[in-house]
Amino acid sequence: MLGAAGLLTLVTLTGLAAGLAREWLLVANWGAGARADAFLIAMFLPEAIRTVLGGGVISSAGLALWQAHRATQAAEGGAANHEPSTAPQRQWLGRMSASLGLIGLGLALALSLGAPLWVWIVGPGLSPEQRHTTEGVLRLLAWSVPGMWLHALWSVPLQARGRFVLAGLGSLLYNLPAVAYMAWARHGATEMGLAWCFVAGGAAMGLLLWPSMRRQGLAWADWRPHLASLKELVIRLGPLLGSAGVGQGLMLLERIVASYLGDGVVTVLNLARKLVNLPLLALMAVNQVLLGLMSRRADGTERLGVLRQGMALVTTVSCPAAVGLLLSTQALVALLFPKVQGAQVLGPVLAWYAVSLVVASWNLLLGRYNHAAGNTRLPFECELAGGLAQALSLPLLAWTFGVQGMAAALLLGIVVNGGLLWWRSGLWGRVPLWPHLAGSAALLAVAGLLLAPGLPALPLGQLLWATAAGAASLLMLAALLKPWKPSPA
């Protein structure tokens, strides 16, 4: 399990690095201004679809159906378990390929034909000139969607056989053409040329898995839409799409508010999220391992013991990462975006996101704790309440404090989500929280209030200080929390 998780983490990290390179080249070539903002607004809906699909909603719902069709074959005296797929499975895969392929084409058509409406919704603050260009870009970007849908579906048979790496390459393939084009064209890169690269990346996502589907026995003759099979999948998708929709809806609200705050704000927020996603990846891998451990504990008391140790481990990983990010923000801006107008505001936003990183890591683990007990409703309700708190505070904080107010609203929503999760999970008095709160708050306060003002002027010196502070934080938290020591049940 750990080997597969490590390989998947490495592949996902490569895709995230390609996505970060994409954003860096975009700002380096076009600047953090109106041109980059307009393109990112056009990218929002196709990217939201890719993020939701890449988050595993179709694979999470489809895996159970895939295995159920194997069970049907076995009950009927069919193929042995060592075969790659059974006849009912191939039939289901063909039906779903046709059904989801048509949905992907329908979404692409709706995005392309409705581009003026979608651009007005996502970026109402754009100027008329920017809006016209953004509409043209979205009409082309829409056709990257069908390949994403097929890639998400075709990942199901591979994941059922334990082949996670090939499916995990989708993000890298999607971003690679755009990275190569911007690195080659530099300042000569055009909006339409870049949009064509993403269309090629979306097509490559589907083509990557087509040979594997052929080996599964899928043939063109199997592509037949089937309403009952689609309805069965949609029923399982409902709760997963609801949770994903909360996050994407909040990002949409951020884009809408940011489009009124001046040129470059959309670009800055997008960059900040990309940078914070890198340490979050390691935390996702840790939480997946802990989910597996908690799922094997039928007794609630045993799960509490794993949760206590998991809290110690997650805090020991997330807080040093936040300290390092907090102290390296100025260096990152200076090294990644030298002489790029508008990039300076990225530093303070990253500082807010660094604090959010610690609380978000606890929320992830608390959600996994409930999932291990079969309770998926409670985490969704708490996430919905946190999203509501963020949505209500976002316009006021953004109007008062600008882009930093938007980051503060994100932190508020995460804190509300975590507090409700902790309270409604009945963990008060059962799992000690104060060492994690006190240790993290003290280290972040020292980093932000004492170390940050006295950092060296040179970016390399700042990075060295950030690395040393992160390492020291890791050692101190490890000595305090002892994450290697199993907690008593």
Side-chain angles (χ1 to χ4, degrees):
M1 181 183 70
L2 290 177
L7 284 174
L8 181 59
T9 299
L10 180 61
V11 170
T12 308
L13 180 60
T14 306
L16 283 173
L20 179 60
R22 178 190 84 188
E23 306 300 329
W24 175 73
L25 287 168
L26 185 71
V27 174
N29 293 338
W30 293 353
R35 189 182 183 188
D37 282 359
F39 190 87
L40 290 174
I41 285 173
M43 279 282 296
F44 177 78
L45 288 174
E47 186 75 358
I49 292 172
R50 187 178 73 89
T51 301
V52 170
L53 296 177
V57 293
I58 287 183
S59 59
S60 296
L63 272 169
L65 296 175
W66 175 263
Q67 300 293 6
H69 283 84
R70 174 177 288 280
T72 300
Q73 177 77 4
E76 295 172 355
N81 285 337
H82 68 270
E83 294 183 3
S85 60
T86 64
Q89 285 177 322
R90 291 194 298 271
Q91 184 183 51
W92 178 84
L93 186 60
R95 288 173 173 177
M96 296 313 303
S97 296
S99 300
L100 294 186
L102 288 174
I103 290 176
L105 288 172
L107 278 173
L109 193 63
L111 289 176
S112 184
L113 295 179
L117 173 62
W118 307 127
V119 170
W120 178 78
I121 292 174
V122 178
L126 291 176
S127 67
E129 296 79 10
Q130 292 171 335
R131 185 175 291 114
H132 177 75
T133 302
T134 307
E135 291 169 3
V137 172
L138 178 57
R139 287 191 182 97
L140 186 53
L141 286 172
W143 298 102
S144 64
V145 171
M148 301 176 190
W149 276 90
L150 291 177
H151 178 273
L153 172 66
W154 290 346
S155 297
V156 171
L158 297 177
Q159 292 177 358
R161 299 176 63 192
R163 296 176 59 188
F164 298 98
V165 174
L166 188 63
L169 288 171
S171 179
L172 177 62
L173 280 182
Y174 179 74
N175 288 307
L176 203 55
V179 170
Y181 171 68
M182 285 190 288
W184 171 71
R186 302 296 295 177
H187 298 290
T190 65
E191 286 85 351
M192 299 307 290
L194 188 54
W196 274 112
C197 291
F198 285 112
V199 174
M205 291 177 68
L207 292 174
L208 171 70
L209 302 187
W210 174 243
S212 296
M213 296 305 100
R214 293 288 293 174
R215 287 192 291 272
Q216 291 284 336
L218 179 64
W220 289 111
D222 299 321
W223 289 53
R224 297 177 181 177
H226 193 256
L227 186 59
S229 297
L230 181 62
K231 183 179 179 181
E232 189 180 27
L233 179 67
V234 169
I235 291 173
R236 293 176 179 266
L237 278 174
L240 298 169
L241 287 176
S243 181
V246 172
Q248 295 303 317
L250 289 171
M251 288 184 65
L252 172 60
L253 182 59
E254 280 188 352
R255 289 287 196 280
I256 293 172
V257 174
S259 70
Y260 285 105
L261 294 181
D263 295 341
V265 175
V266 173
T267 304
V268 165
L269 287 173
N270 200 61
L271 277 171
R273 284 188 176 273
K274 292 288 183 183
L275 288 168
V276 172
N277 276 341
L278 293 175
L280 269 178
L281 174 68
L283 293 169
M284 289 292 292
V286 170
N287 277 286
Q288 283 301 109
V289 174
L290 291 169
L291 173 62
L293 293 174
M294 288 188 287
S295 298
R296 290 198 290 269
R297 267 66 172 180
D299 183 74
T301 305
E302 293 181 341
R303 281 198 299 271
L304 273 177
V306 177
L307 176 62
R308 294 188 190 102
Q309 188 177 8
M311 281 292 294
L313 178 59
V314 165
T315 304
T316 304
V317 172
S318 64
C319 188
V323 168
L325 182 62
L326 182 64
L327 294 176
S328 62
T329 54
Q330 298 178 31
L332 288 173
V333 173
L335 293 173
L336 293 176
F337 311 108
K339 301 179 181 179
V340 174
Q341 184 178 4
Q344 293 78 12
V345 73
L346 179 61
V349 174
L350 278 175
W352 279 97
Y353 278 18
V355 180
S356 301
L357 175 65
V358 180
V359 186
S361 70
W362 299 337
N363 292 359
L364 284 171
L365 179 57
L366 292 174
R368 297 298 189 273
Y369 170 75
N370 283 277
H371 293 164
N375 187 354
T376 58
R377 183 184 181 90
L378 176 60
F380 171 65
E381 291 176 350
C382 295
E383 186 177 0
L384 194 62
L388 181 61
Q390 181 184 350
L392 293 176
S393 63
L394 180 60
L396 177 62
L397 291 176
W399 177 72
T400 306
F401 302 107
V403 65
Q404 292 190 54
M406 299 182 71
L410 173 65
L411 176 59
L412 175 62
I414 292 174
V415 169
V416 170
N417 180 15
L420 287 173
L421 265 175
W422 198 264
W423 173 56
R424 296 192 60 189
S425 298
L427 298 175
W428 292 112
R430 304 175 70 191
V431 178
L433 183 61
W434 71 264
H436 309 278
L437 282 173
S440 300
L443 289 172
L444 288 170
V446 169
L449 300 178
L450 299 181
L451 297 181
L455 287 174
L458 294 178
L460 181 58
Q462 295 174 12
L463 290 178
L464 290 175
W465 265 98
T467 303
S473 301
L474 179 66
L475 294 175
M476 285 187 283
L477 285 172
L480 173 67
L481 302 176
K482 299 179 177 59
W484 62 86
K485 184 178 179 181
S487 297

